[in-house]
Amino acid sequence: MTAEYKALANSWIMWAACLPGVAIVIYQAFLIFRKSKNDALRIGLNEKQVSSSIRSAAITSIGPCLVMITAMLALMMYDGAPFAWLRTNFIGSITYELQGAQFAADGIGIELGSSAMDANFLATACIVEAGGCVGWVIFSALFSDKMEVVNEKLAGGNMLAVPIIGTGALIGVYCSLTIDRVIPYGTQVYGVFAGALAMYLLTLYDRKVHKQWIKEWGLTICMIIGMIVCTVIDLMTGAL
Amino acid sequence: MNKEQEKVYKEEYLPYVIKVGKITSWISLPLIFIPALIVVLAFGARPDPGGVITGLIGLCSAMLAWYIVDPVTLYPILHIPGMYMTYLCGNSKEIRAPAATAALSSADVEAGTEQGTVVAGISIAISIFISVGTMTIVAILGNAILSILPDTVLHALNYLLPSLFGTMCMQRILLDPKSTFIILPAAVVLKLMSRAGLFKFLPFGGGYAQILLCVIVGVIVARNVHKDKIRHAGK
């Protein structure tokens, strides 16, 4: 990245240009959060459930955000801090955005990260990375409120069956995501099993003691146990 | 849930969320192209037409199937409020779904119910505040953050997602071990089939087939394993 490109990509003008996109994300989340919190008690939840939802969501979100830091720093090298900030907060996923930057560079015929990156590349990357992700927003805007029809059909018209079928669908999702980390074999497999075993034991313990902190912190604790197990294995095998 | 609660949910909460979700989603579409416009107007840039077309074709063809598969597979946990927020902010599987899962568990509420929908709305909004805040700090402080963290911690972060998914998988398994007895081996078989390239004939390379089929298997298995319970619930 040349000094000229770095100055352009990190200019206050780019920060100002990227701000509206992030602002709409926060605004939407704020409106829905406020409505959800205000109506929660009227829909049958109690204060304890609302506050524990907030705490556990906050605690669980921090870990994955830390994972994104290293990938975001890579994206900042190609797109500059403002646009990387927009892309990770607005219809973004770190893995897709890095692909988007690569596709933009390939399209122009330059090497990503090289001194060939200039304003023309940044403009191209801005269009490609943004354009590649609008499909999700369009699908969501058109069909989110109609997904209940899909649920009804899957439940055979019996809405009381929805949680049972929903659980089956989620087991399918998480089995697929987890198997992707088990095959092919590597150190991460131990993290998968250590996290799973820790969750199993913690859940059995919670069924006896019924402690709220286990429900709020359990996911994070088990995740950290998995990470520690993998790191220890890497230390023992000399991989670290 | 009593009639009054159901009335609030169906006549006040959902219509508001749908209205806000739709309006903000459509408004967001032109906003995402403002940076490109500014680079052209303020810095005199000329986007390469060939580069744009090649890049868009490459990226969109890789993502196209996921525009549908990702929301369909995660809808059971995100639900309507979660869908609008997740597909505006992003990071559906890494941050939003785990946050919603944790919140549903801690509130002791089932996904897919009215209370579950509200909990999903609250939890995903919180996860967005956290992730936007974190990414803002990273964008401002940049490399200084990486220099503070010890190498061991940076290395451990590579194993966060595998550990997280293993944990979340077990959490779901414990809710329905009978269904898992069938779904988990099916997921292994589907993974091996995917690795063997058996889904490559599908449109856009079939990379989405594994997770989509796992969801379909999950739904079918759950319906059949619990058919007596479902029949009883319908009476």
Side-chain angles (χ1 to χ4, degrees):
Chain A
M1 187 193 273
T2 61
E4 193 187 341
Y5 178 76
K6 196 174 174 181
L8 182 161
N10 292 289
S11 62
W12 69 266
I13 297 176
M14 283 302 290
W15 281 108
C18 296
L19 184 60
V22 179
I24 194 90
V25 169
I26 290 287
Y27 184 55
Q28 185 200 62
F30 168 71
L31 289 178
I32 294 179
F33 173 75
R34 186 177 62 177
K35 184 63 174 167
S36 301
K37 197 157 172 301
N38 287 345
D39 284 357
L41 300 184
R42 299 166 69 208
I43 291 172
L45 292 164
N46 58 48
E47 287 280 2
K48 199 173 154 201
Q49 286 173 303
V50 172
S51 55
S52 73
S53 303
I54 292 172
R55 263 198 308 276
S56 58
I59 292 162
T60 309
S61 299
I62 293 169
C65 284
L66 296 179
V67 174
M68 288 164 59
I69 289 176
T70 48
M72 180 167 168
L73 288 169
L75 193 63
M76 281 163 64
M77 283 194 321
Y78 308 135
D79 291 343
F83 195 62
W85 176 64
L86 175 66
R87 291 310 309 123
T88 52
N89 288 313
F90 190 139
I91 328 170
S93 167
I94 283 290
T95 43
Y96 300 145
E97 302 319 318
L98 287 168
Q99 276 186 57
Q102 187 64 60
F103 277 119
D106 289 346
I108 300 178
I110 66 168
E111 193 184 323
L112 201 59
S114 71
S115 57
M117 293 195 308
D118 57 8
N120 296 336
F121 161 75
L122 185 61
T124 306
C126 285
I127 297 172
V128 170
E129 290 179 47
C133 294
V134 295
W136 277 295
V137 179
I138 293 172
F139 184 92
S140 161
L142 288 173
F143 298 114
S144 290
D145 57 329
K146 296 168 184 60
M147 295 296 292
E148 205 54 38
V149 173
V150 174
N151 246 2
E152 258 182 65
K153 290 230 180 302
L154 290 174
N158 180 357
M159 290 313 289
L160 293 170
V162 167
I164 294 172
I165 286 158
T167 300
L170 285 169
I171 292 174
V173 168
Y174 287 123
C175 281
S176 177
L177 292 172
T178 306
I179 291 295
D180 280 343
R181 268 80 186 171
V182 171
I183 300 170
Y185 172 82
T187 309
Q188 76 280 356
V189 173
Y190 298 100
V192 170
F193 284 108
L197 179 62
M199 176 51 74
Y200 176 72
L201 295 171
L202 204 58
T203 304
L204 288 185
Y205 177 64
D206 185 45
R207 283 178 186 171
K208 284 189 185 149
V209 300
H210 301 290
K211 293 287 181 195
Q212 189 58 28
W213 68 262
I214 294 176
K215 292 184 176 66
E216 291 171 13
W217 287 89
L219 204 72
T220 303
I221 290 169
C222 296
M223 179 182 73
I224 291 173
I225 288 173
M227 288 163 67
I228 290 172
V229 164
C230 288
T231 306
V232 167
I233 288 172
D234 277 349
L235 282 167
M236 285 164 57
T237 57
L240 175 61
Chain B
M1 190 178 228
N2 62 40
K3 279 196 163 45
E4 180 56 37
Q5 292 167 346
E6 202 176 330
K7 193 177 172 198
V8 170
Y9 178 76
K10 283 189 174 154
E11 294 178 17
E12 291 182 39
Y13 179 73
L14 273 189
Y16 177 87
V17 165
I18 290 168
K19 184 176 155 190
V20 164
K22 280 186 186 289
I23 291 173
T24 48
S25 295
W26 290 119
I27 287 174
S28 73
L29 287 176
L31 296 184
I32 198 172
F33 292 102
I34 291 178
L37 191 64
I38 292 297
V39 175
V40 167
L41 293 175
F43 301 111
R46 293 286 170 262
D48 183 276
V52 168
I53 291 168
T54 306
L56 277 176
I57 289 175
L59 192 57
C60 288
S61 59
M63 300 298 135
L64 188 58
W66 291 105
Y67 295 154
I68 300 166
V69 169
D70 205 84
V72 166
T73 51
L74 291 180
Y75 177 75
I77 197 159
L78 301 177
H79 241 271
I80 294 173
M83 289 275 285
Y84 288 119
M85 289 189 284
T86 297
Y87 294 105
L88 189 60
C89 188
N91 295 296
S92 56
K93 290 184 281 297
E94 298 87 355
I95 302 180
R96 315 303 159 210
T101 304
L104 286 166
S105 175
S106 78
D108 204 16
V109 159
E110 282 185 63
T113 59
E114 288 83 359
Q115 286 92 355
T117 300
V118 177
V119 166
I122 290 171
S123 58
I124 289 169
I126 291 292
S127 77
I128 288 172
F129 301 145
I130 297 283
S131 64
V132 171
T134 306
M135 292 303 115
T136 303
I137 293 169
V138 172
I140 294 170
L141 295 181
N143 283 305
I145 293 174
L146 278 187
S147 64
I148 293 169
L149 294 173
D151 284 344
T152 324
V153 171
L154 288 175
H155 185 84
L157 287 177
N158 291 320
Y159 299 115
L160 187 146
L161 284 179
S163 307
L164 176 63
F165 287 136
T167 304
M168 289 171 66
C169 193
M170 178 56 76
Q171 221 181 23
R172 296 293 115 188
I173 286 170
L174 289 171
L175 289 177
D176 190 355
K178 279 186 189 168
S179 297
T180 305
F181 193 66
I182 304 167
I183 299 171
L184 188 54
V188 174
V189 168
L190 288 167
K191 174 67 181 178
L192 294 172
M193 286 172 69
S194 181
R195 270 172 69 84
L198 294 177
F199 299 127
K200 280 202 163 60
F201 70 95
L202 289 168
F204 309 108
Y208 49 86
Q210 179 196 320
I211 192 167
L212 188 57
L213 287 169
C214 281
V215 170
I216 293 170
V217 165
V219 168
I220 293 171
V221 167
R223 276 186 74 161
N224 283 285
V225 163
H226 299 288
K227 59 176 181 268
D228 289 339
K229 205 169 160 185
I230 291 171
R231 203 181 304 131
H232 211 66
K235 286 184 182 162

